[in-house]
Amino acid sequence: MTRWLSVLFLFSCGPHAVAQPSHQEPERRDAWAKLSFEERHGVMTFTVLPNIARTWRDFRHTADPEMTCRTCHGQDAESVDYRMPNPSLAKIDPAHPPAGPVAAFMKEKMVPEMIELVGTTPQHFSCNSGHPK
């Protein structure tokens, strides 16, 4: 728990704080998987949302971040305990991913940033971590 509080503090300080890559990829995956709902909620609230919202704001060129938990977790986030992928989100076929500037941005910027923020690996996080197949 103390380690996650330290990580949480580091991520929540600064406009684009990003975790340093770990050479222990399996341990990173296990660390997230072992967090309780409350611990995950804390990481998502104080680390992921502020950083990802700024990234999305910068891409959309808006004055303020226009993102909430429901942006990614769907309108029914609470009723499904924030489970991902959320079936209310657009389906993405991994064999035929969408094209265009938003899809490219999500793949090239948002997915790698999420991997770093939650401390997982590309093998355990992709577009289909949020979007159903």
Side-chain angles (χ1 to χ4, degrees):
M1 177 75 173
T2 303
R3 178 176 165 225
W4 282 104
L5 289 175
S6 299
V7 170
L8 180 61
F9 176 77
L10 288 173
F11 287 135
S12 62
C13 297
H16 290 286
V18 178
Q20 295 300 315
S22 170
H23 298 291
Q24 300 173 347
E25 297 297 332
E27 183 179 316
R28 292 177 71 203
R29 166 47 168 118
D30 291 340
W32 177 256
K34 293 178 183 176
L35 291 179
S36 69
F37 176 84
E38 291 78 13
E39 290 167 327
R40 286 182 185 201
H41 188 270
V43 171
M44 295 300 290
T45 301
F46 300 111
T47 302
V48 173
L49 182 59
N51 285 283
I52 289 294
R54 279 189 291 269
T55 301
W56 186 242
R57 175 203 61 200
D58 294 347
F59 172 72
R60 300 218 23 209
H61 305 291
T62 59
D64 298 309
E66 299 171 347
M67 184 174 272
T68 69
C69 301
R70 289 184 173 103
T71 305
C72 300
H73 288 272
Q75 292 302 311
D76 59 347
E78 291 88 4
S79 66
V80 298
D81 294 326
Y82 298 90
R83 189 171 36 253
M84 296 296 270
N86 188 315
S88 70
L89 298 178
K91 292 182 179 181
I92 294 181
D93 179 355
H96 302 94
V102 173
F105 172 76
M106 296 293 284
K107 181 180 177 185
E108 295 165 12
K109 180 67 177 161
M110 297 288 264
V111 168
E113 189 168 345
M114 281 295 299
I115 288 167
E116 290 301 318
L117 291 172
V118 301
T120 190
T121 67
Q123 293 76 25
H124 296 102
F125 190 91
S126 69
C127 297
N128 292 114
S129 296
H131 293 271
K133 294 181 182 179

